[in-house]
Amino acid sequence: FHRLFVLSMAISAYAFMKQLQSNYPYRQVNSSNGMLSGAEEWLKAQIVTMGYEYMAQPFTMTSADGVTPCYGENLIFSKQGASDRVIVVGAHYDCVEQTFGTDDNASGVGVLLELASIYSTKESPYTIRFILFSAEEPGCLGSQLLCR
């Protein structure tokens, strides 16, 4: 039974990853191609339908080069647990230029979405927070913002 569960989880995570990288390739920050914003809307729809509370964290920060402004939005989804202790699961959904971002990081997003799906129907002693970070490629900006 355990092996079947793991296999089923892997297949679902792969399907989420494939949808993201196939439907929204080239998800670069500051791009005018609409792929990043399309991915944001698709990701919100996936997790909100699972019953999580949603909070957006839009931001403008300077990239690692110290010059280029970057616009992003962290997507934060939470499910309250029995205590105030929090488990955070994160992945970033932007990618480097001219790539589909499969390994970096649609694969992480796929696993995050599958975990969110599994835990959406389970009670937890801890609050679970799933965070999809933006603007990680130009200097880990989304995760830096969250840690402040």
Side-chain angles (χ1 to χ4, degrees):
F1 173 77
H2 178 69
R3 287 183 181 154
L4 288 176
F5 176 74
V6 171
L7 179 60
S8 173
M9 184 179 153
I11 290 169
S12 295
Y14 178 80
F16 281 127
M17 180 212 63
K18 192 73 173 159
Q19 282 185 282
L20 177 61
Q21 66 102 28
S22 296
N23 296 330
Y24 305 101
Y26 312 117
R27 299 176 307 280
Q28 293 84 36
V29 173
N30 295 345
S31 175
S32 61
N33 68 11
M35 290 296 166
L36 191 62
S37 61
E40 288 168 357
E41 294 306 314
W42 180 77
L43 291 165
K44 288 179 208 175
Q46 296 305 305
I47 295 191
V48 167
T49 59
M50 296 176 195
Y52 288 92
E53 297 174 26
Y54 167 68
M55 183 183 88
Q57 189 182 38
F59 60 88
T60 302
M61 296 175 73
T62 304
S63 71
D65 68 11
V67 178
T68 309
C70 293
Y71 311 97
E73 183 174 317
N74 290 336
L75 313 176
I76 303 169
F77 303 89
S78 299
K79 180 179 178 182
Q80 186 63 43
S83 74
D84 289 336
R85 296 184 78 175
V86 179
I87 295 172
V88 176
V89 179
H92 72 91
Y93 62 97
D94 63 312
C95 62
V96 296
E97 291 185 27
Q98 303 305 311
T99 70
F100 291 146
T102 305
D103 290 336
D104 188 12
N105 189 30
S107 56
V109 172
V111 171
L112 182 147
L113 291 174
E114 179 57 14
L115 288 171
S117 176
I118 291 168
Y119 284 98
S120 68
T121 59
K122 303 206 180 306
E123 295 299 318
S124 172
Y126 307 106
T127 295
I128 300 174
R129 189 163 297 140
F130 293 97
I131 304 173
L132 291 158
F133 296 104
S134 182
E136 291 301 286
E137 296 301 346
C140 300
L141 303 181
S143 54
Q144 283 185 47
L145 176 67
L146 187 77
C147 292
R148 287 185 183 172

